[in-house]
């Protein structure tokens, strides 16, 4: 009797597999489910706007106070990048709902773009295009992709540094317009 049940179960499995192979609908794993509109707006506000505002404040303050007296050896975007690197444990704790096991991946994402942008701002005139406008285009190109699903910590760290770079550049422009 046990053998008959096993044979019957294997027939049922064969029919289920053939149905799965014929269907065109893809099944996503639970961690890759599409996010709702509310979750997308929450992700954008946390992962894009928070680092952008931090960079805006740091870049504006650095441009207004440090650049006026010529005590600054760093450009405002570089100071915004350093501020995000210093605040990275707090940003990770507040923005990524996972354990501290993946903090290293978050720092790899931050560090990969941090080194490039930090050195690029020392380059001079070319840094304005690559460090501000080119990175902004990259940020807008990547933004729709990572808001649809839960992103990896490395990708979130990457986006946090880009947002801080853009924000500090914009903050320095606004502060410079008030200085004149």
């Amino acid at each position: 009797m046990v053998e008959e049940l096993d044979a019957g179960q294997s027939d049922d499995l064969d029919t289920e597999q053939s149905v799965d192979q014929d269907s065109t609908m893809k099944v996503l794993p639970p961690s890759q489910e599409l996010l709702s509109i509310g979750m997308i707006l929450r992700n954008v506000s946390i992962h894009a706007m928070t680092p952008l505002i931090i960079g805006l404040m740091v870049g504006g303050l650095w441009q207004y106070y440090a650049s006026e007296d010529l005590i600054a050896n760093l450009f405002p975007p570089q100071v915004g990048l350093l501020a995000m690197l210093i605040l990275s444990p707090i940003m990770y704790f507040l923005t990524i709902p996972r354990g501290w096991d993946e903090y290293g991946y978050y720092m790899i994402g931050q560090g990969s773009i941090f080194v490039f942008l930090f050195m690029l701002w020392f380059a001079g005139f070319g840094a304005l295009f690559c460090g501000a406008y080119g990175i902004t285009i990259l940020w807008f190109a990547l933004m729709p992709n990572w808001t649809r699903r839960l992103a990896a910590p490395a990708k979130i760290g990457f986006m946090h540094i880009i947002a801080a770079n853009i924000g500090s550049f914009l903050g320095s422009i606004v502060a410079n317009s008030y200085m004149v």
Side-chain angles (χ1 to χ4, degrees), residues 129-176:
F129 176 72
C130 295
Y133 303 121
I135 289 295
T136 304
I137 291 169
L138 175 67
W139 190 50
F140 283 121
L142 292 175
M143 186 69 71
N145 292 331
W146 73 277
T147 56
R148 293 184 187 152
R149 292 185 174 86
L150 294 175
K155 195 177 224 182
I156 293 172
F158 189 85
M159 296 301 284
H160 283 179
I161 290 292
I162 290 176
N165 180 63
I166 295 167
S168 57
F169 178 70
L170 293 175
S172 67
I173 290 174
V174 170
N176 193 39

Side-chain angles (χ1 to χ4, degrees), residues 26-40 43 144-150:
K26 292 182 180 177
V27 178
L28 297 172
S31 64
Q32 291 296 317
E33 290 181 8
L34 295 176
L35 299 176
S36 66
I37 299 296
M39 285 297 294
I40 290 173
N43 277 348
N145 292 331
W146 73 277
T147 56
R148 293 184 187 152
R149 292 185 174 86
L150 294 175

Side-chain angles (χ1 to χ4, degrees), residues 7-23:
Q9 286 176 352
S10 66
D11 290 338
D12 291 338
L13 290 176
D14 291 337
T15 57
E16 287 177 20
Q17 288 175 354
S18 64
V19 170
D20 287 340
Q21 291 172 354
D22 294 336
S23 67

Side-chain angles (χ1 to χ4, degrees), residues 23-124:
S23 67
T24 58
M25 185 174 144
K26 292 182 180 177
V27 178
L28 297 172
S31 64
Q32 291 296 317
E33 290 181 8
L34 295 176
L35 299 176
S36 66
I37 299 296
M39 285 297 294
I40 290 173
L41 293 176
R42 180 181 174 277
N43 277 348
V44 168
S45 65
I46 289 174
H47 298 303
M49 298 312 290
T50 303
L52 188 78
I53 291 170
I54 290 171
L56 191 76
M57 292 187 308
V58 169
L61 290 172
W62 188 262
Q63 178 71 31
Y64 192 75
Y65 291 111
S67 295
E68 183 67 28
D69 298 330
L70 297 176
I71 61 169
N73 292 328
L74 298 174
F75 295 110
Q78 288 174 320
V79 178
L81 294 173
L82 284 173
M84 278 305 294
L85 207 60
I86 291 169
L87 294 174
S88 68
I90 296 169
M91 288 297 293
Y92 179 83
F93 178 72
L94 294 176
T95 61
I96 300 178
R98 299 178 186 139
W100 286 96
D101 300 342
E102 297 181 350
Y103 179 67
Y105 298 119
Y106 177 76
M107 287 304 296
I108 288 171
Q110 278 196 337
S112 64
I113 193 73
F114 171 83
V115 171
F116 172 73
L117 289 174
F118 194 81
M119 299 309 282
L120 185 67
W121 281 107
F122 280 126

